[in-house]
Amino acid sequence: MEYKQQYELNKGLAKMLKGGVIMDVTTPEQARIAEEAGACAVMALERIPADIRAAGGVSRMSDPKMIKGIQQAVSIPVMAKCRIGHFAEAQILQAIDIDYIDESEVLSPADDVYHIDKRRFKVPFVCGARDLGEALRRISEGAAMIRTKGEPGTGDVVQAVRHMRKMNAQIKALVCMREDELYEEAKKLQVPYDLVRYVHDHGALPVVNFAAGGIATPADAALMMQLGAEGVFVGSGIFKSGDPAKRAAAIVKATANFTDASLLAELSEDLGEAMVGINESEIKIIMEERGQ
Amino acid sequence: MTIGILAVQGAFIEHERMLESLGVSCRQLRQKSDLSGLDGVVLPGGESTVQNKLLRELDMLDPLRDMIKGGLPVLATCAGLILLAEHISNDPAVCLGTMPVTVRRNAYGRQTGSFMKEAPFEGVGDVNMIFIRAPYIEEAGKGVQVLARVDGRISAARFGSQLGISFHPELGGDTRIHQYFLQMVKGRKQN
């Protein structure tokens, strides 16, 4: 099949995930809890970001055997992470028939200059972005879905909010520009003119945009959806909390009904302990700065 | 005319844009209170497990089933078809169960098995069909009219006022299947 058709199918799968919650899971058991709670997809990884942060050292793609166990446990799409620029890890994930690859700053970058040429793959990629320039660079490399980077494994939503607001402000600014100003803007953003033109004409990215990084409560999910996210990733927030099944189900419902404050109040009740969380000023590794 | 589009999860905006481009007003269905005064309903693509769960927990399942059984026209695509099916051959979780068909979930495997193919759709003509982790209809029960097949497998069928499609007519720019559905809605309004 030609690349263009494959890219349409890959962007299409991201559209089917919209309005949903993608949950980090480390075991088949957790994957089943996530699916039963209403996750629209799971991200299979050996250690959730909070534990990666705590353990330190180099963090790599997960064991394919572990990923396969999760693929067998659930019927929803299964995603997995590879290191930024590590196209061999991506080839391996494609070989085990993963549904989506996250070229992720959560793992240790394998290349400090180049991202993966994602157009060479059949399987779709999602990538993190802090602003419009990063998002459009990843899209021009072939990403079929974008998410905010946030600051993973902190339980602190401030960076995700910052990234989503910045991206939306830049999109609005681009829409308001005169057509003859778009060439200069493409130069400033370091992205192809055609993508700048698309955003100017449509007032949106050409792919789905989710929120990720630090989302830990139903209110966090509702906040990100009201700020324009099309769905959310929840990493450490669920399985680092006191009652994962209940919290996961509450975040799913909050994402579906993100403007109904009385329902959100009900959903926020009695969820047990939230993940402890670390403030941005207290962390040593800044993951959002990886891969720009 | 008002068409309700189930909006608990999935690609509902795409249906809304397509119907609005045809001059139809739409309402997003997120809660039970959204379900009154509709002339037709769309069950969009998404994850059927999530939609099934939320329909139950938001108390929308029973009223929606009654409306469809009462003859309210419904367009169900991909996950929506799974919600309508009376039987799912590889999953015990039946949702609305109003259409006498047996459906296979994720019938073409994972995302690398997703594909596009042009095939004839009865009453519409040749259509470029987009299959994403798609189901297909294994068995069509009594009274079910098969409208399209791809590689011998049923990709679209109609049972009275229920139109079940395993691909995504809401992606791409072809509005003919939505127009076909609107004819069903108009036909019912006149009777």
Side-chain angles (χ1 to χ4, degrees):
Chain A
M1 200 182 329
E2 61 167 307
Y3 172 74
K4 211 177 149 196
Q5 283 192 353
Q6 188 62 48
Y7 191 51
E8 288 306 310
L9 291 169
N10 289 344
K11 285 194 293 183
L13 177 57
K15 289 178 185 169
M16 299 309 140
L17 301 175
K18 283 193 297 182
V21 182
I22 300 168
M23 302 182 193
D24 278 3
V25 297
T26 59
T27 63
E29 175 62 28
Q30 285 185 355
R32 275 189 285 267
I33 292 172
E35 184 176 45
E36 274 163 34
C40 67
V42 290
M43 177 75 69
L45 72 176
E46 257 158 6
R47 280 193 299 222
I48 54 175
D51 290 337
I52 291 175
R53 214 171 256 297
V58 174
S59 182
R60 310 178 179 91
M61 176 189 80
S62 299
D63 183 341
K65 189 177 173 187
M66 169 266 168
I67 297 170
K68 283 184 193 163
I70 287 170
Q71 286 175 315
Q72 279 156 16
V74 295
S75 65
I76 54 180
V78 178
M79 303 182 166
K81 293 182 192 291
C82 73
R83 287 180 264 175
I84 290 173
H86 207 315
F87 50 84
E89 283 186 350
Q91 289 161 358
I92 291 167
L93 291 173
Q94 176 164 274
I96 60 168
D97 214 3
I98 204 78
D99 290 299
Y100 240 96
I101 297 176
D102 185 357
E103 187 184 14
S104 178
E105 68 282 2
V106 167
L107 306 182
S108 310
D111 193 318
D112 54 5
V113 179
Y114 300 107
H115 277 73
I116 296 171
D117 180 1
K118 293 165 273 287
R119 294 170 182 268
R120 289 178 176 274
F121 289 79
K122 187 174 186 195
V123 70
F125 281 80
V126 55
C127 288
R130 296 179 298 177
D131 55 36
L132 185 60
E134 275 188 19
L136 295 182
R137 283 194 290 280
R138 298 297 86 77
I139 292 165
S140 88
E141 293 156 3
M145 179 179 186
I146 291 294
R147 53 171 176 76
T148 60
K149 282 181 168 172
E151 190 55 38
T154 59
D156 187 355
V157 80
V158 65
Q159 290 92 339
V161 167
R162 193 184 292 151
H163 300 161
M164 188 57 75
R165 279 194 186 269
K166 183 163 186 200
M167 186 126 41
N168 289 339
Q170 289 177 304
I171 289 172
K172 280 193 199 117
L174 206 51
V175 169
C176 295
M177 278 179 196
R178 281 167 52 100
E179 286 183 14
D180 59 3
E181 292 168 347
L182 298 177
Y183 300 95
E184 175 62 17
E185 192 59 20
K187 205 163 79 186
K188 278 189 197 150
L189 290 172
Q190 302 179 319
V191 298
Y193 168 78
D194 289 348
L195 287 175
V196 168
R197 181 68 204 227
Y198 181 96
V199 175
H200 171 75
D201 291 349
H202 294 83
L205 294 179
V207 303
V208 166
N209 185 18
F210 269 46
I215 294 158
T217 67
D220 288 348
L223 174 69
M224 295 312 302
M225 293 297 286
Q226 289 188 40
L227 285 174
E230 296 181 281
V232 298
F233 283 84
V234 185
S236 317
I238 289 171
F239 290 100
K240 276 282 158 192
S241 73
D243 188 345
K246 192 170 179 187
R247 182 169 294 267
I251 293 176
V252 167
K253 269 189 240 170
T255 304
N257 273 290
F258 58 91
T259 55
D260 184 340
S262 43
L263 179 67
L264 293 172
E266 215 176 284
L267 294 171
S268 303
E269 269 182 32
D270 207 18
L271 289 179
E273 223 168 302
M275 72 176 284
V276 177
I278 334 168
N279 290 309
E280 88 179 302
S281 53
E282 297 164 355
I283 51 177
K284 288 191 192 125
I285 306 169
I286 309 293
M287 292 176 176
E288 62 158 292
E289 289 172 356
R290 292 169 165 175
Q292 301 176 19
Chain B
M1 187 197 295
T2 303
I3 303 291
I5 304 174
L6 184 66
V8 292
Q9 193 272 326
F12 48 86
I13 302 282
E14 287 73 8
H15 280 287
E16 185 176 300
R17 284 196 197 125
M18 198 159 262
L19 288 168
E20 282 178 353
S21 79
L22 296 168
V24 176
S25 69
C26 298
R27 186 194 303 153
Q28 294 186 3
L29 312 176
R30 293 175 187 272
Q31 298 187 8
K32 197 177 168 181
S33 55
D34 299 326
L35 292 174
S36 59
L38 298 174
D39 299 301
V41 67
V42 175
L43 307 176
E47 275 305 313
S48 61
T49 52
V50 184
Q51 296 176 350
N52 184 3
K53 180 184 154 71
L54 287 169
L55 276 176
R56 279 169 210 278
E57 291 181 359
L58 297 164
D59 297 322
M60 294 166 79
L61 182 63
D62 290 335
L64 193 58
R65 185 192 287 124
D66 290 345
M67 287 156 65
I68 294 171
K69 279 191 169 167
L72 183 75
V74 52
L75 166 63
T77 61
C78 196
L81 169 65
I82 296 167
L83 300 187
L84 275 192
E86 233 171 50
H87 303 284
I88 305 163
S89 61
N90 52 350
D91 193 334
V94 170
C95 183
L96 293 158
T98 52
M99 189 169 185
V101 293
T102 301
V103 161
R104 170 166 284 271
R105 271 189 73 199
N106 300 336
Y108 300 93
R110 297 186 176 279
Q111 176 62 5
T112 49
S114 295
F115 65 102
M116 291 183 195
K117 193 148 193 181
E118 194 166 283
F121 189 110
E122 204 176 311
V124 172
D126 283 354
V127 171
N128 182 34
M129 302 180 182
I130 301 172
F131 296 86
I132 298 174
R133 283 176 52 97
Y136 61 70
I137 298 174
E138 282 184 334
E139 266 181 67
K142 210 178 158 195
V144 174
Q145 181 192 2
V146 173
L147 298 175
R149 284 178 200 270
V150 167
D151 299 331
R153 285 156 174 171
I154 303 169
S155 61
R158 180 173 172 177
F159 178 68
S161 56
Q162 302 177 47
L163 180 57
I165 296 177
S166 68
F167 57 93
H168 292 284
E170 76 280 15
L171 302 181
D174 188 349
T175 58
R176 288 176 298 160
I177 287 174
H178 287 78
Q179 285 171 305
Y180 179 98
F181 171 62
L182 292 176
Q183 286 305 319
M184 288 167 55
V185 175
K186 281 175 195 150
R188 179 173 187 252
K189 275 196 94 155
Q190 280 159 7
N191 290 331

